[in-house]
Amino acid sequence: GENVEQHPSTLSVQEGDSAVIKCTYSDSASNYFPWYKQELGKRPQLIIDIRSNVGEKKDQRIAVTLNKTAKHFSLHITETQPEDSAVYFCAASKRGGTGGGNKLTFGTGTQLKVEL
Amino acid sequence: SAVISQKPSRDICQRGTSLTIQCQVDSQVTMMFWYRQQPGQSLTLIATANQGSEATYESGFVIDKFPISRPNLTFSTLTVSNMSPEDSSIYLCSVVGTFPLTDTQYFGPGTRLTVL
């Protein structure tokens, strides 16, 4: 089955700096890569996702890049703010079809702390 | 996005008892999943709840321990049977196939279970 590795496990940055979180996956058939933000005591919230037919996607201060050949994808947060502090999870799945489509395999999570 | 609710939001149970968690969505969805998140850990998929048929379980999870029902396209239940302290976790349902983002996966608020 799919295996997703995520680094680093903790990340501390100064407000205004950039943060980068990296994930690798094992199953070359995976084609959908969402990122979730989970604040303490809250549910995971989707912040951005990317599909295997594109290499980069951006939404304001957040961007995700995908390298299918190397089987890795990264989350980039620019101009970090204290409210960005949370645990971030990457995930991978195979979209569509039957027999297991849309099952998410999660990375181990990154605790991001944005310091003033 | 769909509004997803779970009941109960939290519970404290005694060893050897069972607890049934409900997941209700305000619109029909194509897929529903159940995940477990142990304290300070990532999310692990327990099973896919199939409408009108038996759930599909992931490796390490069995029907006798985690029976699941999905009688229609908006509702599912997960039962944690014969509980032990190791079952203390947050249990989250998720859904896929809500209008208009048909393959985005959204999570319920979770049920925090403590087993004494």
Side-chain angles (χ1 to χ4, degrees), chain B residues 54-76:
Chain B
E54 192 171 287
T56 305
Y57 291 85
E58 297 301 305
S59 177
F61 298 96
V62 295
I63 188 171
D64 289 346
K65 176 68 175 178
F66 298 102
I68 288 170
S69 77
R70 189 180 172 194
N72 55 52
L73 295 177
T74 64
F75 185 78
S76 178

Side-chain angles (χ1 to χ4, degrees), chain A residues 98-101 103, chain B residues 31-35 44-63 66-70 76-78:
Chain A
T98 59
K103 295 192 306 181
Chain B
M31 303 189 77
M32 297 181 78
F33 302 94
W34 287 95
Y35 289 83
T44 301
L45 179 65
I46 297 171
T48 303
N50 299 309
Q51 194 259 328
S53 64
E54 192 171 287
T56 305
Y57 291 85
E58 297 301 305
S59 177
F61 298 96
V62 295
I63 188 171
F66 298 102
I68 288 170
S69 77
R70 189 180 172 194
S76 178
T77 66
L78 167 74

Side-chain angles (χ1 to χ4, degrees), chain B residues 3-24:
Chain B
V3 176
I4 309 166
S5 59
Q6 283 186 235
K7 290 182 183 178
S9 58
R10 59 178 62 226
D11 207 341
I12 300 173
C13 301
Q14 295 297 317
R15 179 194 300 259
T17 63
S18 297
L19 176 72
T20 296
I21 302 168
Q22 298 179 3
C23 179
Q24 179 75 54

Side-chain angles (χ1 to χ4, degrees), chain A residues 30-111:
Chain A
S30 290
N31 55 14
Y32 175 63
F33 307 93
W35 286 87
Y36 287 85
K37 174 184 180 182
Q38 187 175 33
E39 297 177 63
L40 190 63
K42 302 284 185 63
R43 75 186 81 186
Q45 296 273 13
L46 180 75
I47 55 172
I48 196 167
D49 57 11
I50 191 167
R51 292 162 175 79
S52 59
N53 58 345
V54 298
E56 184 174 358
K57 182 177 178 180
K58 196 171 183 180
D59 183 4
Q60 299 183 339
R61 297 186 296 110
I62 296 173
V64 58
T65 59
L66 171 66
N67 183 326
K68 288 190 297 182
T69 303
K71 289 189 284 188
H72 67 70
F73 56 112
S74 301
L75 178 71
H76 305 252
I77 306 175
T78 59
E79 301 172 24
T80 54
Q81 301 167 3
E83 51 265 39
D84 294 328
S85 296
V87 179
Y88 291 81
F89 292 100
C90 63
S93 78
K94 304 171 200 176
R95 287 174 58 230
T98 59
N102 297 110
K103 295 192 306 181
L104 290 176
T105 300
F106 282 84
T108 49
T110 297
Q111 174 74 61

